[in-house]
Amino acid sequence: MSKLKDSFGRQIEYVRLAVTDRCNLRCQYCMPAHGIDIVPRKELLTFKEMYRLIRVLTELGVNKVRLTGGEPFVRKDFVSFLEMLSYNDLLDTINITTNGALISRHINKIEKLKKVKNINLSIDSLQQDKFAKITRRDVFPEVYKTFELLEKSSLNLKLNVVVQSGFNTDEIVDFVRLTKDKNVVVRFIEEMPFNGKGQRKMEKNWTLNKILEEVKTVFHVDEIQSEKSSTSRNYKVKNHLGTFGIIPAFTRTICNDCNRIRITSTGTFKNCLFDDGVFNLRDFIRNGASNEDLKELFLSLVKDKPENGFIAEANRKKGTVSESMSTIGG
Ligand code: SAM
Ligand code: SF4
């Protein structure tokens, strides 16, 4: 069986799939207050189409999928889709990124799906007022409840914290403190200055080094070994139960070992977060492409995977990145 390999010899094993572009929150770094222009429903991939695309990719060596969005739990029957995907015997791992505001009642059911292993919960502040300012919705108690339920569940939990200058940088140390008694991984994400209405002005860029310096003002920190294709550099404070990591989303120092591709909610194939989107899979399958056609297409598309995010951005025809991560599938 041919495997998906790019021209730099990187084996593609992980696909990020946005199951919707819709969201119940309006995080200021992700979209404007009035939201983004969502696409008509018929332009979204159906769950059947998603299942088929993932199946074909797994026949080419992909073994992990991350479901994201928009907010995945906004899409009707998302939990049934998780069950459906679990039937794919070639898939090892299903991961989910969620804002946590709609999931508490589903946790028991999700825990029973053995392929669903890791949940990334986005939580940018531990203070209700600040959380409401950042997300423009007053849902902190529900998200915190989700956090507590997930922490007690058998699912592996990572907290995603976008570090926003002037908003939550004073809480970096509080988040690391959480790892003392809780078996969680906190991941600080460098903010990317685009949110669906163009390039956003940022006061200061909180880069990996700056975030790490801030943690070191209070804690002694050791770097820990990361998986080769990890999106983060990872650290531990001695005697803390959990760990923390930093995702250099903006400074892009982790591209070398990238093993990921992306599919947006409208079926656009992306080799890199920063590229334009290189092929419309939805129209290809709606026009009758067979699974063999799809395989051939995937094998050729990944050959154009750019070496890193800077090259991907430089190759864009649509100018600098400005789309919301909700459209791209964060
Ligand atoms: N709605 C879900 C959530 O918020 O977890 C999933 C989709 S969201 C687009 C995926 C991740 O992208 C979240 O952790 C979010 O914080 C992150 N994200 C969105 N916009 C970003 C930006 N401009 N810079 C850095 N991270 C961003
Ligand atoms: Fe929605 Fe996630 Fe974007 Fe926040 S980061 S607006 S929760 S898609």
Side-chain angles (χ1 to χ4, degrees), residues 29-30 68-71 97-99 122 160 162 189-192 194 325 330:
Y29 52 79
C30 183
T68 177
E71 171 51 38
T97 304
T98 174
N99 63 37
S122 299
N160 278 359
V162 177
I189 307 177
E190 289 178 355
E191 182 177 357
M192 295 176 284
F194 41 86
M325 287 291 283

Side-chain angles (χ1 to χ4, degrees), residues 3-6 9-15 57 60-63 258-261 271 302 305:
K3 294 261 170 125
L4 285 179
K5 213 174 226 185
D6 76 2
R10 294 175 296 196
Q11 175 83 47
I12 308 301
E13 292 178 331
Y14 198 178
V15 57
L57 285 167
L60 294 171
V62 165
N63 52 32
C258 180
N259 66 347
R260 291 173 291 280
I261 51 175
N271 268 317
V302 300
K305 185 171 167 69

Side-chain angles (χ1 to χ4, degrees), residues 31-45:
M31 55 176 79
H34 54 81
I36 51 164
D37 295 332
I38 54 171
V39 301
R41 202 168 294 273
K42 63 179 187 318
E43 290 184 23
L44 296 176
L45 289 174

Side-chain angles (χ1 to χ4, degrees), residues 71-102:
E71 171 51 38
F73 286 87
V74 160
R75 185 137 183 193
K76 193 166 164 268
D77 297 330
F78 175 64
V79 178
S80 306
F81 177 58
L82 291 175
E83 288 178 89
M84 184 173 161
L85 261 191
S86 300
Y87 284 112
N88 183 341
D89 57 343
L90 298 175
L91 194 60
D92 291 338
T93 309
I94 302 170
N95 298 330
I96 305 170
T97 304
T98 174
N99 63 37
L102 302 167

Side-chain angles (χ1 to χ4, degrees), residues 29 191-202 205 250 252 274 313 316 318-324:
Y29 52 79
E191 182 177 357
M192 295 176 284
F194 41 86
N195 68 348
K197 60 170 183 187
Q199 289 277 322
R200 215 159 87 76
K201 253 217 195 113
M202 298 199 309
N205 219 326
F250 192 61
R252 290 167 250 181
F274 290 91
E313 192 167 16
R316 285 172 67 93
K318 297 183 197 151
T320 50
V321 186
S322 62
E323 303 99 300
S324 162

Side-chain angles (χ1 to χ4, degrees), residues 246-259:
I246 306 177
I247 302 182
F250 192 61
T251 51
R252 290 167 250 181
T253 45
I254 36 101
C255 296
N256 276 352
D257 296 315
C258 180
N259 66 347

